[in-house]
Amino acid sequence: MSSGSLIDQIDAFERTALAAVQSAPDAAALEAVRIEFLGARNGRLRDLQTVLGKATKEEKPVVGKRFNEVKQRVTAEYETKQRALSRPKRAAGGLDVTLPGVRVEQGRRHPLTQTILEFKEIMGRFGFTVADGPEVEDEWHNFQALNIPADHPARDPLDNFFLATANYAARQSTASELNLTAQPAAVTGPRLLRSQTSTVQIRVMESNPPPVRIISVGRVYRPDTIDATHSCMFHQMEGLLIAEGTTMAQLKTVLRLFARAYLGHDVTIRFRPSFFPFTEPSVEVDMSWDNTGTKWLEIGGAGMVDPNVLKAVGYDPDKVTGFAFGLGIERFCMRRYRVPDIRYFTNNDLRFLRQF
Ligand code: FA5
């Protein structure tokens, strides 16, 4: 048998099957068409396949390809028609209210979004307003102005997500052609995904005179090894208060009150002496994970703003002082809802997300 006549048979099947599907007036008729043409036992498609089994070795690729195309097309047409016939119909006089309804899926906010909104609300009650900053930063705001010198290990390219250097080189050459070389490094230098929300402290102080009382919430990025409490993208809430006569006692009180407002009165907060280039003295802050007093999880860093930072933004450290803190948002949310692993927040598993 020549492949031409085999192809003719497939074409004929396609025409008849499509016409039958399209003209089926209701679900019962469509089911009869399905059995006649697509039925697995005695359907016409099956018969056709048996005939095609006789094709020669040379004919097989062409004939097989065409057969599969037609099979898919007729099946797709059948499915479309089936959907169309199962849609609720309007009765002659309007909507038929006896037909089954279409369930409306209700969306909900991601648990981290809920947490962020609640953080802003609590800190708003403490008199802090919300400030924002970019996620793509320059080295001035992410490091230099925060008293992190060029040779500090925190600036290691392996510990940060710097953006492609090719773009940087291109920008530099454009800048020199336009004679913009006098611009500060912050404008023309390398860019990176911010590794901390402390960048926003600098941006706010650069453009506002003291006093300052802000929080800033957003994503930060670090090439950390991912485990149950570490992610390479996570959220922080930065807090900054600059005024005359601020004290470490005020900082500790704000953090304790905040933690209790969000987590409840059974949480214990402890402070450990630590070091950050942009605060002096500095502390790390832990929360109790449960009531056993044996398990603690670090939630943030904090301290009194270093005079060098105040000078970098044009403030007079003899007139104003301040405190700052940076808290990991995921970890608060994990304790509140007993989420054992930070990766649940980004896995997009609806079984997890529907619980909030
Ligand atoms: C900082 O980022 C400082 N900028 C905090 C700060 C602000 C200190 C202002 C002083 C003044 P640190 O690297 O410790 O500090 O991060 C703060 C918190 O972010 C941690 O305590 C933790 O809760 C959270 N965190 C840090 N790394 C990760 C990570 N990979 N995944 C999830 N959360 C993290």
Side-chain angles (χ1 to χ4, degrees), residues 195-198 201 222 224 229-232 234 236 238-239 276 278-279 284-285 298-303 324-328 330-331 342:
S195 60
Q196 49 185 347
T197 43
S198 301
Q201 289 184 32
R222 293 181 194 177
D224 285 353
T229 53
H230 291 86
S231 174
C232 52
F234 58 100
Q236 287 188 334
E238 193 78 9
F276 294 98
F278 35 95
T279 47
E284 268 171 332
V285 192
E298 187 193 306
I299 44 169
F325 55 85
L327 307 175
E330 277 79 356
R331 295 192 183 176
I342 199 167

Side-chain angles (χ1 to χ4, degrees), residues 141-160:
H141 291 95
N142 203 82
F143 301 122
Q144 229 162 301
L146 287 163
N147 201 28
I148 306 177
D151 56 355
H152 194 280
R155 294 177 72 154
D156 191 326
L158 293 176
D159 290 332
N160 294 283

Side-chain angles (χ1 to χ4, degrees), residues 226-266:
I226 296 170
D227 62 20
T229 53
H230 291 86
S231 174
C232 52
M233 184 282 288
F234 58 100
H235 295 75
Q236 287 188 334
M237 177 172 79
E238 193 78 9
L240 175 71
L241 190 147
I242 305 278
E244 284 176 29
T246 44
T247 64
M248 191 83 182
Q250 291 169 346
L251 165 63
K252 291 169 77 175
T253 303
V254 166
L255 288 176
R256 278 216 167 88
L257 288 175
F258 171 75
R260 286 196 187 145
Y262 181 72
L263 293 171
H265 280 264
D266 69 325

Side-chain angles (χ1 to χ4, degrees), residues 2-279:
S2 82
S3 65
S5 80
L6 286 176
I7 296 282
D8 291 346
Q9 286 191 46
I10 301 173
D11 290 348
F13 169 83
E14 183 183 31
R15 276 194 303 278
T16 340
L18 289 178
V21 168
Q22 279 151 12
S23 60
D26 54 34
L30 184 66
E31 177 61 4
V33 170
R34 185 190 68 75
I35 293 168
E36 181 183 345
F37 287 89
L38 301 172
R41 278 217 199 131
N42 298 319
R44 289 211 222 170
L45 185 75
R46 171 117 196 119
D47 296 345
L48 187 61
Q49 197 172 10
T50 315
V51 175
L52 299 185
K54 294 183 190 129
T56 63
K57 210 168 147 210
E58 294 73 40
E59 289 169 347
K60 268 198 177 133
V62 183
V63 167
K65 184 164 174 274
R66 178 74 185 124
F67 175 80
N68 285 332
E69 274 168 18
V70 169
K71 182 178 172 187
Q72 275 168 17
R73 173 137 192 242
V74 173
T75 309
E77 193 70 22
Y78 160 76
E79 284 167 359
T80 309
K81 179 82 180 194
Q82 193 186 35
R83 275 196 298 276
L85 288 176
S86 64
R87 253 179 240 133
K89 289 191 191 54
R90 278 178 185 278
L95 183 69
D96 182 351
V97 291
T98 63
L99 287 170
V102 179
R103 181 187 285 273
V104 178
E105 282 282 336
Q106 199 180 2
R108 63 196 76 208
R109 287 195 170 112
H110 190 281
L112 289 177
T113 308
Q114 293 182 27
T115 306
I116 288 168
L117 290 173
E118 202 171 330
F119 275 26
K120 288 180 178 170
E121 193 268 321
I122 296 169
M123 293 307 291
R125 278 192 261 141
F126 295 170
F128 287 74
T129 52
V130 177
D132 275 325
E135 289 182 21
V136 175
E137 264 297 2
D138 51 62
E139 292 192 297
W140 168 258
H141 291 95
N142 203 82
F143 301 122
Q144 229 162 301
L146 287 163
N147 201 28
I148 306 177
D151 56 355
H152 194 280
R155 294 177 72 154
D156 191 326
L158 293 176
D159 290 332
N160 294 283
F161 287 115
F162 277 92
L163 302 192
T165 47
N167 293 345
Y168 167 49
R171 250 201 326 274
Q172 282 229 315
S173 71
T174 320
S176 54
E177 278 158 31
L178 297 173
N179 198 17
L180 296 176
T181 41
Q183 286 191 355
V187 180
T188 56
R191 295 281 194 275
L192 73 161
L193 296 179
R194 67 180 176 190
S195 60
Q196 49 185 347
T197 43
S198 301
T199 52
V200 187
Q201 289 184 32
I202 303 300
R203 290 189 173 274
V204 169
M205 290 191 283
E206 278 174 340
S207 48
N208 296 282
V212 168
R213 194 193 289 212
I214 59 103
I215 55 158
S216 186
V217 183
R219 291 192 195 110
V220 299
Y221 303 84
R222 293 181 194 177
D224 285 353
T225 305
I226 296 170
D227 62 20
T229 53
H230 291 86
S231 174
C232 52
M233 184 282 288
F234 58 100
H235 295 75
Q236 287 188 334
M237 177 172 79
E238 193 78 9
L240 175 71
L241 190 147
I242 305 278
E244 284 176 29
T246 44
T247 64
M248 191 83 182
Q250 291 169 346
L251 165 63
K252 291 169 77 175
T253 303
V254 166
L255 288 176
R256 278 216 167 88
L257 288 175
F258 171 75
R260 286 196 187 145
Y262 181 72
L263 293 171
H265 280 264
D266 69 325
V267 71
T268 309
I269 296 298
R270 76 175 183 191
F271 297 90
R272 284 178 287 113
S274 187
F275 173 79
F276 294 98
F278 35 95
T279 47

